[in-house]
Amino acid sequence: MNGITVGEALVAELRRRDVDCVFGIPGVHTVELYRGLANSGIRHVTPRHEQGAGFMADGYARASGKPGVAFVITGPGLTNTLTPMAQARADSVPMLVVSGVNTTASLGKGFGHLHELPDQLGLAQTVALMSEQISDASELDPVVDRIFHRLASGRPGPAHIEVPLDVAAAEYAAAPSVPPAPVSLADPNLIQQAAVRLAEAQRVVILTGGGAKRVETGLRELAETLDAPIVQTVNARGLMHGHPLIVPASPSLNSVRELIEDADCVLALGTELGPTDFDMYATGQISAMSGLIRVDRCRDQLSRHKADLTIHDDVDMVIPALLAALPAAKKKSGGAKRAALSRAAAWNEIGADYRLQVEVLNAIRDAVPAALIVGDSTQPIYAGNLYYDHDRAGGWFNAATGYGALGYGIPAAIGAAIADPTARVICIVGDGGAQFSLPEIMAAVDENLPVTFMIWNNHGYREIATSMQNVGVTVIGCDPSPPDFAATAKSFGIPFSSASFEPDAIAQVLRAATHIDGPSMIEVTAPKFEPRKD
């Protein structure tokens, strides 16, 4: 063979498209991908499980804004990655999973080959936005073009490419490829209509989702021009920290619902209006929204909720256009007062227990300014998702909304640290969730990453136990024994410290940990759930 293999060419295509890191565990079904990796300039990070590879790619994407990429083997490698792909789809996170698959002639035959699935491509298509096979050497360029076009247009999410063993090893044959046509921009008439409605309204409220988290400057100018409170979903937290118009509280809270329902015009920017943000208490309905204007890059998403006006485009394109169309004079509608009243009511509504959890989060934020805080489903994360004002746009994310996969926090924090080596990353994970992916900490050791793994140890699944008790079900299965985390940290070769469940104590230990070169672990001992005795 005089040229390069398809596997080598695929790696070269990824590098050409600004991929600088892949997360993967090499296997016999991905050897040809690794042939081209060593000299490609792409960093390779080895997780301890393919689920970890997917969650690392997710964390990388959220921190960088670029697609996170995972290399996995045929069969179990792909099935182990389906859960991270589902989380990425629920939270609109761009991810590319590249897998091997058995030889072309064997597919679907049921011969019993190693790692064989009846229909691997079809299985991936149940979760991925797009799943394609490179069935011939000449198909590489067109497939990669289509995949990356899909990742850059419409609602982000996971995509999948599979390469049969025989095709991966075949000689690459360049094929002409016509990139898909760019998506047209929003109709200027719709922008003008939206501007008129916003200018005429007396009580505008802005809802922000993950689609707005990278447009902080424009959003601030828009909110100040309209004098409009901004309600943040979980994936928008960190925008405009401390600003008087910000309401960093869940739109599921009654107090925030009242703010939204009092508006005479609601502008929803990059949010799917999903129930894990807008109806987490399962009431069966979200807030009534008068004069709803929705902006979203996904046309399908815009059709799922009735709105007075929809604009199909990226939020970062629409905000400048709206500002140009709005009157220059700033509105005076008591926006800051409305936001302050909503914040105070929301703070009161979350209750004493969650207020203490948020005070801990505030202490963490102030101890390590501008950190990336990555979480799993655990008490302080639940509390923060209800009410917490982070100090970095895009710096607060977790898997307690959307798909809600446990085991996310540790590997996602590692991916985030790879994406932004200048940031301090704090991973907040419960003792239960930590046991889903604890071995992934060794990847942080291998890469010497500045991640502080904060284990919130209340000896069990407190949220589930409380839910069972509240509906009269005998609490069972919610008290798995945690490991000795001090001994675990020692076995990983990383510094360990402990703290009591108190804001100042946690902040003091955390400040010391941030001076450590590389990963460290902090165990916070929280009150254990004790079922009521009726």
Side-chain angles (χ1 to χ4, degrees), residues 19 42 266-267 352 380 417:
V19 173
I42 297 176
V266 175
L267 175 61

Short mmCIF file of all heavy atoms in Angstrom, two decimals, residues 19 42 266-267 352 380 417:
data_model
loop_
_atom_site.label_atom_id
_atom_site.label_comp_id
_atom_site.label_asym_id
_atom_site.label_seq_id
_atom_site.Cartn_x
_atom_site.Cartn_y
_atom_site.Cartn_z
N VAL A 19 -10.16 19.25 15.70
CA VAL A 19 -10.22 18.30 16.81
C VAL A 19 -8.82 18.20 17.40
O VAL A 19 -7.87 17.87 16.69
CB VAL A 19 -10.73 16.92 16.36
CG1 VAL A 19 -10.61 15.89 17.49
CG2 VAL A 19 -12.16 17.02 15.86
N ILE A 42 -3.14 15.20 17.66
CA ILE A 42 -4.34 15.09 18.50
C ILE A 42 -3.97 14.40 19.80
O ILE A 42 -3.33 13.34 19.80
CB ILE A 42 -5.45 14.28 17.78
CG1 ILE A 42 -5.90 15.01 16.51
CG2 ILE A 42 -6.63 14.05 18.71
CD1 ILE A 42 -6.93 14.25 15.69
N VAL A 266 -42.79 37.53 26.75
CA VAL A 266 -41.71 36.63 27.18
C VAL A 266 -40.83 36.33 25.98
O VAL A 266 -41.31 35.89 24.93
CB VAL A 266 -42.27 35.32 27.77
CG1 VAL A 266 -41.13 34.36 28.09
CG2 VAL A 266 -43.09 35.60 29.02
N LEU A 267 -39.53 36.57 26.14
CA LEU A 267 -38.55 36.28 25.09
C LEU A 267 -37.72 35.08 25.54
O LEU A 267 -36.96 35.17 26.51
CB LEU A 267 -37.65 37.49 24.86
CG LEU A 267 -36.49 37.33 23.87
CD1 LEU A 267 -37.01 36.99 22.47
CD2 LEU A 267 -35.62 38.59 23.84
N ALA A 352 -35.07 25.80 54.17
CA ALA A 352 -33.86 25.98 54.97
C ALA A 352 -32.75 25.01 54.58
O ALA A 352 -31.57 25.38 54.52
CB ALA A 352 -34.19 25.83 56.45
N PRO A 380 -26.13 19.17 46.96
CA PRO A 380 -25.79 20.56 46.62
C PRO A 380 -26.08 20.91 45.17
O PRO A 380 -26.38 22.06 44.85
CB PRO A 380 -24.29 20.66 46.95
CG PRO A 380 -23.81 19.26 46.97
CD PRO A 380 -24.95 18.41 47.41
N ALA A 417 -11.56 19.90 32.15
CA ALA A 417 -10.20 20.31 32.47
C ALA A 417 -9.28 20.20 31.25
O ALA A 417 -8.37 21.03 31.07
CB ALA A 417 -9.65 19.48 33.63
#
